[in-house]
Amino acid sequence: AMVFQSYALYPHMTVFDNMAFALKLRKVPKDEIKVKVEEAAKILGLEDLLDRKPKALSGGQRQRIGIARALAVNPRFIVCDEPISALDVSIQAQIVNLLKKLQKEQQLTYLFIAHDLSMVKYISDRIAVMYQGKIVELGTADAVYHQPFHPYTKSLLSAIPLPDPQYERNRKRVIYQPTVQNEPEEMFEITPGHFVLTTKEQAEIWKNSLS
């Protein structure tokens, strides 16, 4: 299933019909649709909103409907395409905490796409860093944040604001400046489970520095 950045709710439909839409396309029987929608609405705390139209709801409520719609089809895997970027900061935390709670309770796997790096670290077990449509680094959240190898990853992480004003003033931003590589780049495993798009020569240099 999928949770969209822009909610992707049909404005002329009620909350119930929006949540039931994918089930109707799958030709699920009406009585079963009612049960699945009401179950998802209960999980997300939307029971009192099922008869309303999306325009009468807040951004946070609309995104909860989007999540409930995804849950209604009993998915094992949900693509979350920047699901919090259209929300106020105060609501973002609520939605991400809700996603983490559902992940644990429903045993879900998310592909969580976002530009907010602190939020990515909070919700993710593994992180893939992309640059110009290519994955340049892939590893556990701890590995990518605490021991980044690719220059683009280092540049991204240096842009995360820190709560310590003095440290923030003194630290230097890492500016990514791509260079033309004479040797072709491939994905190399630098440490167990931690992959980086680089040249064979550079991969060997990193590995030797860690041994």
Side-chain angles (χ1 to χ4, degrees):
M2 186 161 182
V3 178
F4 299 86
Q5 174 183 357
S6 57
Y7 319 129
L9 302 176
Y10 293 104
H12 62 288
M13 292 184 182
T14 64
V15 170
F16 182 97
D17 289 334
N18 267 287
M19 291 172 59
F21 187 70
L23 295 169
K24 290 178 181 177
L25 290 179
R26 298 181 184 198
K27 303 190 185 303
V28 175
K30 284 187 176 180
D31 56 344
E32 190 176 336
I33 288 177
K34 186 174 186 296
V35 170
K36 286 181 177 293
V37 169
E38 288 178 350
E39 284 179 352
K42 184 176 181 181
I43 292 171
L44 275 296
L46 299 169
E47 303 102 307
D48 297 334
L49 306 178
L50 291 176
D51 294 328
R52 297 193 192 180
K53 298 281 183 68
K55 66 180 180 181
L57 306 175
S58 68
Q61 288 172 325
R62 292 181 197 182
Q63 195 56 291
R64 279 196 289 145
I65 293 164
I67 296 169
R69 176 180 55 192
L71 289 181
V73 299
N74 293 325
R76 303 262 43 90
F77 184 89
I78 299 180
V79 177
C80 298
D81 185 11
E82 300 213 38
I84 60 172
S85 62
L87 302 173
D88 292 339
V89 174
S90 60
I91 306 300
Q92 288 182 1
Q94 294 178 26
I95 294 299
V96 169
N97 286 331
L98 175 61
L99 287 170
K100 280 184 73 74
K101 177 172 176 284
L102 293 172
Q103 182 185 39
K104 184 176 180 180
E105 293 176 353
Q106 306 289 324
Q107 298 296 301
L108 296 169
T109 298
Y110 297 136
L111 173 59
F112 191 89
I113 303 163
H115 288 90
D116 185 333
L117 300 177
S118 56
M119 202 64 79
V120 168
K121 183 182 180 184
Y122 178 68
I123 199 170
S124 302
D125 299 304
R126 289 178 61 77
I127 294 174
V129 179
M130 297 191 72
Y131 177 72
Q132 293 189 342
K134 291 183 179 180
I135 293 177
V136 297
E137 189 154 0
L138 171 66
T140 64
D142 281 343
V144 171
Y145 270 77
H146 297 130
Q147 193 177 40
F149 289 100
H150 197 279
Y152 181 69
T153 306
K154 293 179 180 180
S155 176
L156 279 180
L157 295 177
S158 76
I160 300 177
L162 297 175
D164 185 333
Q166 184 174 352
Y167 184 84
E168 182 68 22
R169 281 194 299 269
N170 294 330
R171 75 168 179 164
K172 294 182 179 180
R173 278 289 313 276
V174 178
I175 306 301
Y176 179 54
Q177 297 178 324
T179 57
V180 177
Q181 300 287 353
N182 296 324
E183 190 181 342
E185 292 187 322
E186 302 175 42
M187 291 297 284
F188 290 93
E189 189 174 23
I190 310 301
T191 61
H194 191 166
F195 299 86
V196 183
L197 181 68
T198 189
T199 64
K200 184 177 181 179
E201 179 184 6
Q202 182 60 62
E204 291 300 325
I205 292 172
W206 284 332
K207 288 179 183 179
N208 291 335
S209 70
L210 297 171
S211 60

